[in-house]
Amino acid sequence: MVSENYNEAIELIRKSKYTIALTGAGVSVESGLPDFRSPDGIWSKYDISKYAYLANFYEDPKRIWDFVRELYSSYSDAKPNIGHISLAKMEEMGFLKCIITQNIDNLHQKAGSRCVIEFHGNITHLRCLKCGKVYKREERDPFKWEVPICDCGNPLKPDFIFFGEGIFEDVLNRSFEMAKKCEVFLIIGTSAEVQPASMLPLVAKESGARLIDINLKPSRITLDGYSDYFLRGKFTEIMSKMVKDLEGEK
Ligand SMILES: [Zn+2]
């Protein structure tokens, strides 16, 4: 049975020596970044089959960069919300080891979180698919280069994961290691339906961790009966309350 008892969930987090969080688009909605797939999300404007696949980048890097420039513009205006800031505080207070995020928006880092694994890559770097060289965005500013080019002459790709592209091995290894080690696993602002990120809470559960789902709607993990707790509500409200309650007991 999935419990909705907030006090018990907080008690688990307080006692846990190793808590990690998996976050998704839901945590950035209150920063004004709609989920890609929501009615006002990016895929309502752009045809996903022309912009989201690795093959699209090989076909026409300029088309992809025009699209990515728009993405970057909306991201650079976005600010972390009180939920992001609360997660950073939890880390500072010793109640959270690391965040594994499916977001590429850089908002956890902007909020001050130090341990952030970017499961799907990021908007802060560019990568050459031919020689593997990685550049900071400032080094090949896409607002100055129509198509940023590597020293080797190949077009650079934004360093986030396109459909048809694998997750980086070091990212996978670190994430799954943490999932195996953790005592409490938080599922926040994600429906946990996208593979392989959705495997992480299940691996944690199998290794003995307790799962706490914090979402507006129960995630797939809760619907399938794996969560121990489901806390329903807005990310910003639940996380700021949680930090106050954790602080209160120090
Ligand atoms: Zn190169």
Side-chain angles (χ1 to χ4, degrees):
M1 260 308 269
V2 181
S3 162
E4 299 199 13
N5 189 318
Y6 171 84
N7 291 331
E8 277 180 30
I10 274 278
E11 214 34 52
L12 267 184
I13 294 171
R14 185 174 289 132
K15 285 187 184 141
S16 162
K17 290 184 200 69
Y18 202 114
T19 298
I20 60 172
L22 173 70
T23 67
V27 307
S28 296
V29 168
E30 290 172 84
S31 288
L33 294 176
D35 192 334
F36 274 43
R37 291 173 190 276
S38 72
D40 51 348
I42 201 93
W43 298 139
S44 65
K45 190 170 167 193
Y46 288 93
D47 180 350
I48 193 164
S49 69
K50 290 200 175 71
Y51 292 92
Y53 290 84
L54 186 60
N56 300 144
F57 177 78
Y58 283 117
E59 252 162 51
D60 188 355
K62 184 185 172 300
R63 183 197 337 146
I64 298 301
W65 275 109
D66 287 340
F67 159 70
V68 170
R69 270 184 282 271
E70 186 175 330
L71 206 63
Y72 283 174
S73 303
S74 61
Y75 282 158
S76 58
D77 294 338
K79 293 189 176 59
N81 60 50
I82 188 72
H84 291 106
I85 292 164
S86 300
L87 282 171
K89 268 194 194 149
M90 276 177 70
E91 181 185 17
E92 202 185 301
M93 290 158 72
F95 290 115
L96 184 66
K97 276 270 189 271
C98 201
I99 296 170
I100 301 167
T101 187
Q102 299 167 89
N103 300 338
I104 58 170
D105 56 31
N106 205 36
L107 290 181
H108 286 303
Q109 291 93 328
K110 275 193 192 167
S113 285
R114 286 184 300 264
C115 184
V116 180
I117 298 181
E118 295 169 305
F119 207 75
H120 293 153
N122 62 66
I123 54 167
T124 54
H125 289 78
L126 286 66
R127 182 181 295 263
C128 177
L129 294 177
K130 193 155 193 188
C131 73
K133 188 164 178 185
V134 175
Y135 295 80
K136 282 188 189 150
R137 213 164 101 187
E138 306 85 81
E139 296 175 82
R140 286 290 189 279
D141 186 349
F143 291 95
K144 291 182 186 148
W145 297 57
E146 192 174 41
V147 174
I149 301 288
C150 179
D151 286 340
C152 79
N154 218 53
L156 291 166
K157 188 186 139 299
D159 199 17
F160 49 80
I161 303 294
F162 283 48
F163 291 112
E165 211 177 2
I167 311 285
F168 292 114
E169 209 179 304
D170 58 324
V171 166
L172 277 180
N173 290 342
R174 280 182 71 203
S175 304
F176 278 97
E177 251 168 51
M178 281 187 189
K180 280 180 199 152
K181 249 196 275 183
C182 73
E183 293 173 25
V184 172
F185 191 110
L186 310 175
I187 301 153
I188 312 178
T190 172
S191 57
E193 281 174 312
V194 178
Q195 293 268 25
S198 57
M199 289 302 294
L200 291 165
L202 302 180
V203 166
K205 178 90 179 182
E206 226 175 67
S207 311
R210 311 294 291 278
L211 309 185
I212 303 175
D213 183 7
I214 302 171
N215 265 305
L216 277 175
K217 283 188 286 183
S219 70
R220 174 49 45 201
I221 306 298
T222 296
L223 294 174
D224 289 346
Y226 293 108
S227 295
D228 296 281
Y229 293 92
F230 170 56
L231 309 179
R232 186 191 300 272
K234 276 189 166 178
F235 170 58
T236 50
E237 284 168 15
I238 294 193
M239 295 320 298
S240 49
K241 175 168 169 41
M242 201 174 264
V243 162
K244 270 191 208 119
D245 293 338
L246 289 168
E247 258 172 352
E249 287 293 318
K250 257 178 120 181

